[in-house]
Amino acid sequence: MSLLSESLPFHPEVQEFWNALPQGRFLLRACRACGRAHWYPRAICPHCASSDTEWREASGRGTIYTYSIMRRVSEPFAIAYVTLAEGPTIMTNIVESALEEIAIGKAVAFVVGGRKNGEYLPLFKLV
Amino acid sequence: MSINGRAYIVGAFEHPTRKAPDKSLAQLHAEVARGALEDAGLAPRDIDGYFCGGDAPGTGPLSLLDYMNLKVRHADSTNVGGSSYILHVGHAAEAIAAGKCDIALITLAGRPRSTGSGKGNLQRTDNPVQPDFPFEQPFGLATVNIYAMCAARHMYEFGTTSEQLAWVKVAASHHAQHNPGAMLREVVTVADVVGSPVIADPLHRLDCCVISDGGGAVIVARPEIARSLKRPLVRVRGAAEAVKHQNAGDIDLTCSAGSFSGPAAFAEAGVGPADIKYVSLYDSFTITVVIQLEDLGFCPRGKGGAFVADGNLISGQGRLPFNTDGGGLCNNHPFNRGGMTKIIEAVRQLRGEAHPAVQVPNCDLALAHGTGGLLGTRHGSATLIMERE
């Protein structure tokens, strides 16, 4: 059992998502009935209410929809919404990138990591 | 069923405290209830409907009804964050129109300043069972950076500038100088706002509202009762609510649920934005005001920055006076929920009881609007249109 972090509760509906991250895999939940991917992952498709949903490995490519750099903290960091190549826009952090180079519209790529030690999160870096 | 003309706001009270280390949360609720009853000329036994939001301690309305020893036949604790109390006025009017109660009390109170729990740059402590929690909380989601992301996108799409956003704070400060109870009474300039420290790009310290203890209450009653009281008549003409969320990942951070609640409230009231003499707008951050103005139709989409510039929101100077008490940006933001104080200042304006320096002449039609929850994740908007009779 690899939980995302001790600070986060166990959500059985999405456990496979968190289990895949340490292996470097970013899973999206998509619907066989309507064909659309959604975010965050759900068993019932939020587009068409079908229960015929499945995990699909995402391309890991996206662009920055918006971001903000939190300044009034000990270690400034970038929170962002990234629009994935597959469609959905997701909340994440931009890491391994110079904060001053982050901009809306820039291309980013998926990396596994966490702002804190021991976390496995879907993060992105500038490409 | 329309609620237009079916209910009146007969009592309103803003708690004078901004820091209450020696009072309990329930006590503050009882104090604002008492204040609103005195304002209306009513007694506790007259109340037969009660409304409260997420600030109420305990299970919905149960503990506070017990504490205040109120016997009601209708209660509603719909919680959509800081806009809840604006929504409650609409729900109270519906209940009155349906005969479920005659006189409804709505209270808000909180002590985030005394408890140190209200800082906008802290991670939010939402319920971990929320399905969205694991997909947002780990990324350092706070109140200020989620609104900052809305501002950044608005700037990107429409060319909105930090200087334009600053005008919202400048206008609020012009009003707050006349409010002895306001936390920040100093008049500030655009240069002051954009020169203040960046908290979360692109929002500066002075783009953010204050953190205060306190609260407020309003009382809504059926028309015959309102006419039997001695206060000026403030009629509810239109009310509407809407929720906007992440749309399964297809998000748009440049508009709010106000784009749905606004037109619905105007339709019920039978008036349009050009008829409104005064607006109370939830000003958690400067960007919130700009987006709400666009959503409500006071200016075209994307033009909110230009609309607020050059003092257009300053009473006696601009076209659309707003938040003449100083708003959440300067006056008061009890429990980090600005909806209640928005109603109260609109009622003051309609009664002609605002400070003379900011009173809008012949203010016969006012709008109060709020965005509760988080603008950039999921939120509830509520719009209320009121008329002086």
Side-chain angles (χ1 to χ4, degrees):
Chain A
M1 183 69 64
S2 75
L3 277 178
L4 154 68
S5 117
E6 289 180 6
S7 63
L8 287 175
F10 177 68
H11 284 256
E13 185 181 3
V14 291
Q15 191 55 37
E16 201 166 331
F17 173 86
W18 300 113
N19 289 345
L21 281 175
Q23 305 158 19
R25 296 166 59 229
F26 177 26
L27 299 182
L28 267 179
R29 196 78 178 172
C31 178
R32 288 194 191 91
C34 74
R36 294 182 70 182
H38 62 262
W39 188 260
Y40 48 89
R42 280 156 247 194
I44 303 290
C45 176
H47 294 298
C48 74
S50 167
S51 60
D52 191 11
T53 56
E54 64 180 355
W55 296 106
R56 292 178 188 167
E57 191 151 345
S59 67
R61 290 180 288 109
T63 56
I64 297 174
Y65 172 80
T66 190
Y67 75 100
S68 177
I69 296 163
M70 188 70 115
R71 302 281 181 185
R72 303 289 284 180
V73 287
S74 56
E75 287 182 53
F77 65 93
I79 192 170
Y81 275 114
V82 164
T83 303
L84 304 175
E86 290 82 1
T89 298
I90 77 169
M91 189 181 291
T92 185
N93 293 126
I94 307 300
V95 296
E96 302 175 26
S97 309
L99 291 179
E100 59 271 23
E101 291 181 10
I102 297 171
I104 293 175
K106 281 197 174 181
V108 289
F110 163 70
V111 290
V112 178
R115 288 192 302 111
K116 297 170 194 156
N117 293 333
E119 285 183 340
Y120 292 99
L121 295 170
L123 307 181
F124 288 80
K125 65 178 181 182
L126 294 175
V127 295
Chain B
M1 179 181 70
S2 169
I3 53 96
N4 187 340
R6 306 292 293 275
Y8 287 66
I9 297 177
V10 299
F13 180 76
E14 179 185 5
H15 204 295
T17 191
R18 300 294 179 266
K19 190 166 189 181
D22 301 324
K23 291 177 189 276
S24 77
L25 181 54
Q27 181 183 2
L28 288 174
H29 276 274
E31 288 178 353
V32 295
R34 185 167 181 265
L37 284 167
E38 282 181 4
D39 180 64
L42 291 165
R45 65 177 177 280
D46 298 321
I47 300 296
D48 65 351
Y50 178 63
F51 295 72
C52 61
D55 54 297
T59 300
L62 299 183
S63 285
L64 285 177
L65 284 169
D66 185 8
Y67 179 88
M68 294 189 280
N69 195 26
L70 294 173
K71 284 88 172 174
V72 300
R73 59 191 179 107
H74 188 82
D76 177 342
S77 56
T78 303
N79 180 24
V80 291
S83 60
S84 300
Y85 319 92
I86 300 173
L87 172 152
H88 289 158
V89 174
H91 286 199
E94 291 167 13
I96 289 167
K100 304 298 183 187
C101 61
D102 295 316
I103 303 177
L105 168 70
I106 308 166
T107 65
L108 156 80
R111 307 170 61 248
R113 196 173 171 207
S114 290
T115 59
S117 58
K119 289 203 167 54
N121 62 352
L122 296 177
Q123 286 208 3
R124 293 173 67 90
T125 51
D126 290 344
N127 186 342
V129 179
Q130 286 175 215
D132 44 77
F133 186 98
F135 299 98
E136 295 175 358
Q137 202 74 15
F139 304 113
L141 166 67
T143 306
V144 63
N145 60 5
I146 196 74
Y147 282 79
M149 286 200 287
C150 298
R153 186 69 195 185
H154 203 275
M155 290 174 168
Y156 176 81
E157 287 198 25
F158 304 120
T160 309
T161 66
S162 288
E163 287 74 15
Q164 289 174 331
L165 294 186
W167 273 107
V168 176
K169 169 72 174 187
V170 170
S173 77
H174 270 264
H175 300 148
Q177 67 177 313
H178 304 293
N179 181 353
M183 284 184 65
L184 305 175
R185 296 187 65 192
E186 186 185 345
V187 174
V188 300
T189 65
V190 168
D192 291 333
V193 180
V194 298
S196 65
V198 173
I199 306 296
D201 305 63
L203 295 181
H204 307 77
R205 181 184 173 88
L206 296 188
D207 285 300
C208 308
C209 62
V210 301
I211 291 166
S212 63
D213 298 347
V218 295
I219 297 173
V220 185
R222 70 169 57 257
E224 312 87 88
I225 295 166
R227 290 191 192 97
S228 74
L229 301 171
K230 294 182 170 55
R231 304 295 276 133
L233 290 169
V234 174
R235 180 171 53 194
V236 176
R237 275 196 67 154
E241 64 199 70
V243 172
K244 186 167 176 278
H245 47 62
Q246 298 198 324
N247 200 22
D250 185 11
I251 67 169
D252 177 1
L253 295 193
T254 64
C255 66
S256 75
S259 58
F260 304 102
S261 69
F266 277 120
E268 185 166 55
V271 298
D275 300 313
I276 300 295
K277 303 281 179 58
Y278 164 83
V279 287
S280 282
L281 296 176
Y282 199 164
D283 52 346
S284 47
F285 300 90
T286 51
I287 182 64
T288 320
V289 172
V290 168
I291 287 177
Q292 290 170 141
L293 283 165
E294 295 176 7
D295 291 340
L296 293 168
F298 288 105
C299 60
R301 186 149 186 236
K303 302 294 185 187
F307 184 84
V308 302
D310 303 321
N312 204 29
L313 301 177
I314 300 176
S315 185
Q317 179 178 331
R319 185 173 122 211
L320 187 66
F322 102 121
N323 296 8
T324 41
D325 60 339
L329 287 167
C330 295
N331 172 28
N332 189 11
H333 192 213
F335 201 71
N336 308 314
R337 287 171 169 242
M340 178 62 78
T341 47
K342 299 299 164 288
I343 305 165
I344 294 170
E345 182 66 7
V347 169
R348 288 194 193 105
Q349 280 286 352
L350 291 166
R351 288 173 169 178
E353 294 176 353
H355 189 283
V358 297
Q359 176 67 50
V360 176
N362 189 31
C363 185
D364 55 357
L365 202 59
L367 179 147
H369 176 83
T371 306
L374 291 177
L375 185 60
T377 58
R378 54 201 65 79
H379 63 264
S381 294
T383 311
L384 176 66
I385 298 169
M386 295 153 282
E387 181 178 33
R388 188 196 62 221
E389 197 168 280

